Amino acid sequence: LLFIKASMLASSRSVASSCACAPRRSCFVRPAAGRRQLKANAMMGGMAPGAGLSPEVRSNIDKLVNSNKVVLFMKGSKQFPQCGFSNTVVQILNVMGAPFEHVDILADESLRVGMKEYSQWPTFPQVYIGGEFVGGADIMIQMFQSGELKELLERE
């Protein structure tokens, strides 16, 4: 059984100290309001997510997102996460007993860049549940703590 440290769940900043990416600030994530803002921008006529992607990259991402109930785009693998934030999300999904596919964005530069455009979210990890973008580590932590993640996983 995997355990999530309370300090890791209390604040995403605590994970930053254990993350190799922290000095570059490449895996810091937006607050939960960011997800709602992305949806609001799309509804108000903002650019559609992934509009600037090549058809091939968009098709590959669509297949990954739509053919799996839960997909985690992360740094490393679920067996060996390369980032503290990715590790936190892996632990949360494991504790929830949610089967998920992972995609190592470090292995493919075009996928890593494409995912940022596709989701309109600049950081990793990125979680998709039921074909919908959920968010990054901070949102997963909040949803786990509130019980919203359990409800979403049961619904999908």
Side-chain angles (χ1 to χ4, degrees):
L1 181 63
L2 295 174
F3 294 96
I4 302 171
K5 292 182 182 178
S7 62
M8 290 175 79
L9 291 177
S11 168
S12 60
R13 276 182 250 154
S14 64
V15 179
S17 63
S18 67
C19 178
C21 302
R24 295 189 310 270
R25 302 183 67 95
S26 62
C27 51
F28 283 92
V29 290
R30 294 181 187 170
R35 179 173 58 141
R36 290 186 293 276
Q37 187 62 47
L38 287 172
K39 289 181 179 179
N41 287 349
M43 290 188 331
M44 298 190 72
M47 191 162 101
L53 291 175
S54 73
E56 180 183 341
V57 171
R58 182 171 181 78
S59 173
N60 289 340
I61 296 171
D62 281 339
K63 284 179 197 170
L64 288 167
V65 168
N66 294 318
S67 64
N68 299 287
K69 179 179 175 181
V70 181
V71 184
L72 171 59
F73 292 90
M74 62 181 288
K75 294 177 180 178
S77 69
K78 56 181 160 183
Q79 294 81 17
F80 189 67
Q82 299 284 316
C83 164
F85 293 110
S86 293
N87 184 49
T88 297
V89 174
V90 167
Q91 288 186 46
I92 289 171
L93 291 170
N94 284 336
V95 166
M96 297 297 300
F100 66 97
E101 291 299 320
H102 78 278
V103 179
D104 182 1
I105 54 93
L106 297 175
D108 184 344
E109 175 74 18
S110 65
L111 179 63
R112 187 176 78 229
V113 173
M115 282 307 303
K116 291 178 182 184
E117 172 71 25
Y118 186 86
S119 64
Q120 294 186 345
W121 194 265
T123 59
F124 294 95
Q126 294 181 10
V127 179
Y128 284 78
I129 299 176
E132 294 289 321
F133 178 64
V134 174
D138 62 335
I139 292 172
M140 291 294 287
I141 290 168
Q142 291 171 2
M143 290 177 70
F144 176 76
Q145 290 174 331
S146 72
E148 186 181 355
L149 180 59
K150 181 180 179 185
E151 293 172 11
L152 179 61
L153 290 169
E154 289 172 352
R155 211 175 30 231
E156 295 297 325

